[in-house]
Amino acid sequence: INAEYMGEEMLREAAKIDCNKFVTATDVVQANPHLNLAFTANLFNKYPALDPPPATIIIPTLDDDENDSRESRAFRMWINSLNVDPYINNIYEDLADGVAILQMLDKVQPGIVHWPRVNRPAPNVFKKVENTNYAVLLGRQLRFSLVNVSGKDITDKNRKLILGFVWQIMRMHVLKIIRALRSDGRDVDEQFVINAANDRVRSRGVAPISNFRDPALRNSVYLFHLLATVAPNAVNWDLVATGSTDEECAANAKMCISVARKCDCCVFLLWEDIVELKPKMLMVMIATILAVAQRPT
């Protein structure tokens, strides 16, 4: 059978489903890669022949390893939202060389780390301790409480001391974000954050919240609307559930954290904090979204 004839027959069949674009029979026979790719892509776009997705899709966050303690999960979530390199999978193992801690300090207090002094990579325990000692030194310059803490404690993976150090860096970051919401230097209180958030979602027809224990926050829908004021295309509303069950609230909260990270928000909380209406954690999350909204475009 003539190859040209077969190409023409194929295109006649494609025409029946309105897919005879981009190529001729000669293009098919001569295996023109670009035109054949365009033809195939158009065919797949119109008739993908894929099974429909399940009715409920749960999108887990990257850090949602519930085998870890809740505290270490929250810290790991925050550290990775700072875009440290490499990615932190185990907060104790991956901070032992001091490089990630120094990155955290430099993200929260830009310019504090003199990077030529840092061993990166740190090939042995001595170089790792040099890095962690430097991190402790910088922590003391920032007036962290690091009594009887040495770099070797971090390299030795002392859990209590590592969590204490990381908590102080995270606390400093939270305070800087909240204080930056006001340009007049005055303190930022809970009501200021609530009013600012309600002002942003008002145009979307969303009912205001009265406080950070408001039941309307439990299903994350208010948070999705707030995020949509920052990045209108960031939220896939087809995947947002009504939140009428505990399972739907959990799924929404997990997706909400993923969307927040997509919007370049630093994430300080876990999905459980949303569904359990932890007021301090919700205040920080909303303040972080407002801070991103204030950035110059």
Side-chain angles (χ1 to χ4, degrees):
I1 299 176
N2 184 280
E4 190 90 13
Y5 171 78
M6 293 298 296
E8 291 172 353
E9 281 295 304
M10 184 272 290
L11 290 177
R12 276 193 285 272
E13 292 299 314
K16 295 178 183 178
I17 55 175
D18 193 28
C19 285
N20 61 332
K21 296 180 179 180
F22 305 114
V23 294
T24 65
T26 302
D27 296 323
V28 175
V29 173
Q30 294 180 352
N32 185 304
H34 299 297
L35 294 177
N36 282 329
L37 177 62
F39 173 80
T40 306
N42 181 55
L43 180 63
F44 179 79
N45 185 52
K46 288 192 173 185
Y47 302 98
L50 299 176
D51 294 330
T56 302
I57 300 177
I58 297 176
I59 301 179
T61 60
L62 294 176
D63 305 284
D64 198 19
D65 183 357
E66 297 181 10
N67 292 322
D68 279 353
S69 72
R70 187 158 170 171
E71 187 178 32
S72 65
R73 286 169 58 211
F75 287 155
R76 190 173 68 250
M77 179 82 71
W78 166 68
I79 295 168
N80 285 322
S81 71
L82 294 176
N83 296 319
V84 301
D85 181 31
Y87 187 88
I88 304 302
N89 292 299
N90 183 297
I91 194 172
Y92 311 109
E93 296 286 341
D94 297 340
L95 300 188
D97 65 358
V99 174
I101 293 182
L102 289 166
Q103 289 182 72
M104 292 153 53
L105 289 165
D106 205 49
K107 295 273 188 179
V108 174
Q109 187 73 16
I112 194 172
V113 177
H114 182 59
W115 286 105
R117 178 175 173 174
V118 179
N119 302 301
R120 190 176 185 185
N124 55 56
V125 68
F126 303 106
K127 295 299 183 182
K128 291 178 181 179
V129 172
E130 283 183 5
N131 286 349
T132 51
N133 276 336
Y134 183 35
V136 171
L137 174 66
L138 295 179
R140 291 194 172 118
Q141 289 180 16
L142 294 170
R143 302 196 175 186
F144 293 167
S145 177
L146 297 170
V147 179
N148 296 325
V149 177
S150 70
K152 190 172 184 301
D153 294 317
I154 299 171
T155 302
D156 288 345
K157 308 179 184 84
N158 184 309
R159 296 193 170 208
K160 182 178 178 180
L161 296 180
I162 289 173
L163 292 180
F165 194 0
V166 172
W167 180 84
Q168 291 181 83
I169 304 173
M170 188 172 79
R171 180 178 179 275
M172 180 180 178
H173 195 198
V174 169
L175 293 175
K176 289 187 74 170
I177 288 174
I178 292 176
R179 287 169 182 160
L181 292 179
R182 296 193 73 143
S183 58
D184 56 10
R186 296 169 61 188
D187 288 340
V188 175
D189 59 12
E190 179 176 308
Q191 196 57 49
F192 178 89
V193 177
I194 289 170
N195 292 343
N198 285 337
D199 286 345
R200 289 195 68 85
V201 300
R202 185 176 291 114
S203 62
R204 299 180 63 84
V206 179
I209 57 171
S210 56
N211 56 60
F212 294 113
R213 294 182 180 84
D214 195 309
L217 291 169
R218 188 172 183 270
N219 63 9
S220 300
V221 173
Y222 180 96
L223 299 175
F224 281 124
H225 280 288
L226 186 60
L227 286 163
T229 68
V230 177
N233 297 322
V235 181
N236 184 344
W237 292 101
D238 292 336
L239 301 181
V240 177
T242 60
S244 56
T245 65
D246 290 343
E247 291 76 15
E248 287 186 352
C249 286
N252 277 2
K254 292 175 182 180
M255 185 168 69
C256 185
I257 289 174
S258 295
V259 172
R261 292 181 65 169
K262 182 179 178 181
C263 293
D264 200 28
C265 297
C266 283
V267 178
F268 297 87
L269 83 174
L270 302 173
W271 68 265
E272 294 98 326
D273 296 323
I274 298 176
V275 298
E276 294 173 11
L277 295 175
K278 299 291 185 181
K280 291 182 180 178
M281 302 305 289
L282 283 165
M283 176 181 173
V284 172
M285 181 175 187
I286 290 176
T288 302
I289 298 170
L290 295 173
V292 171
Q294 287 185 353
R295 293 177 186 169
T297 55

